[in-house]
Amino acid sequence: MSAALRLAVTLLTVVPLPAAPVDRRTAGRAMLAAPLTGLIVGGGAAAVLVAGEQAGLAAPLRAALAVAATAVLTRALHLDGLADLADGLGSRRPADAALEVMKRSDIGPFGVATLVLTLLVQVAAVATAPHPAAAVLVAAVAGRLALPWACRAGVPCARPGGLGALVAGTVGTRAAAAATAVAVAAAGALGAGLDGAAGGVHAVAAVLAALAAALLMLRHAVRRLGGITGDVLGALVELAATAALVAMAAR
């Protein structure tokens, strides 16, 4: 698990750690540990929010800086995957042709529109959440909870090679469920600490909303593309995190 956690951190964040062995077993464990990396990304965004409040910045500006921090801390890796998936699915081409669209280095109109709208929604949700720091922390963990489910046994890869082929089918369903239970319990405890029982239910609902959004998109992507790719995984993280932020902002 030490090697898996190192791989998860170096793959999903900008934090430099000693190199970890890369094989399917370690990669699968890294996907299972992925929600823990949300503590790094969400913690960084929360720190920006707190610092911005201390500096007297307005809520929208604090929110924009926090969302920018998540992009920096992840090298915008997941945003890139979201744009590529949007272009591929938006092309309405057969699976092979859609995958080729996703491999291109440029971003098309579907990708641009999806990125802009997603970032706008994220900033608005953070700015209006009752507890913005808690919202970004819960969303960052919930977003990465999509990864063990997307990599669970029975979910194929869309093409040979790449991250999708390395991690597809490497996580057991029970292990993914256990990771979900831990994330739900942690989010519930955080929410309860802020707003009592109602806050706990609110945070749990945000995690479940994130997972539901990710699973729906995963099902659609697998049906259209034949399986997962690295871009699909990145898109699921962003979609799930956005859904969690919207849920955390609901009053």
Side-chain angles (χ1 to χ4, degrees):
M1 281 305 298
S2 175
L5 187 56
R6 293 204 312 273
L7 180 59
V9 170
T10 55
L11 182 64
L12 301 175
T13 77
V14 296
V15 177
L17 289 177
V22 181
D23 53 51
R24 278 182 57 81
R25 183 180 182 185
T26 304
R29 291 179 174 179
M31 294 299 99
L32 190 59
L36 293 175
T37 68
L39 297 175
I40 298 173
V41 178
V48 169
L49 287 168
V50 172
E53 185 174 13
Q54 293 295 320
L57 300 181
L61 180 54
R62 296 199 304 268
L65 291 173
V67 171
T70 65
V72 171
L73 288 169
T74 58
R75 308 182 197 89
L77 184 68
H78 310 314
L79 289 170
D80 180 67
L82 178 64
D84 287 341
L85 180 62
D87 280 334
L89 296 180
S91 71
R92 302 184 66 84
R93 298 180 182 179
D96 289 344
L99 289 169
E100 286 301 316
V101 170
M102 291 167 62
K103 287 177 64 176
R104 295 175 185 169
S105 58
D106 60 332
I107 300 178
F110 285 104
V112 171
T114 300
L115 279 181
V116 171
L117 292 173
T118 299
L119 291 172
L120 284 174
V121 170
Q122 289 180 356
V123 170
V126 174
T128 57
H131 302 286
V136 295
L137 191 58
V138 169
V141 173
R144 285 143 190 83
L145 189 61
L147 295 179
W149 286 99
C151 299
R152 73 187 187 277
V155 178
C157 61
R159 59 184 172 219
L163 179 62
L166 179 66
V167 298
T170 57
V171 179
T173 301
R174 289 185 179 179
T180 302
V182 172
V184 165
L190 177 60
L194 293 170
D195 288 324
V201 171
H202 193 174
V204 167
V207 176
L208 296 180
L211 188 56
L215 290 176
L216 285 172
M217 178 53 70
L218 173 64
R219 180 180 179 184
H220 180 57
V222 170
R223 184 171 62 246
R224 281 281 287 108
L225 304 175
I228 62 171
T229 67
D231 286 333
V232 171
L233 296 177
L236 293 179
V237 171
E238 284 297 334
L239 178 63
T242 304
L245 285 174
V246 171
M248 289 295 286
R251 299 175 183 270

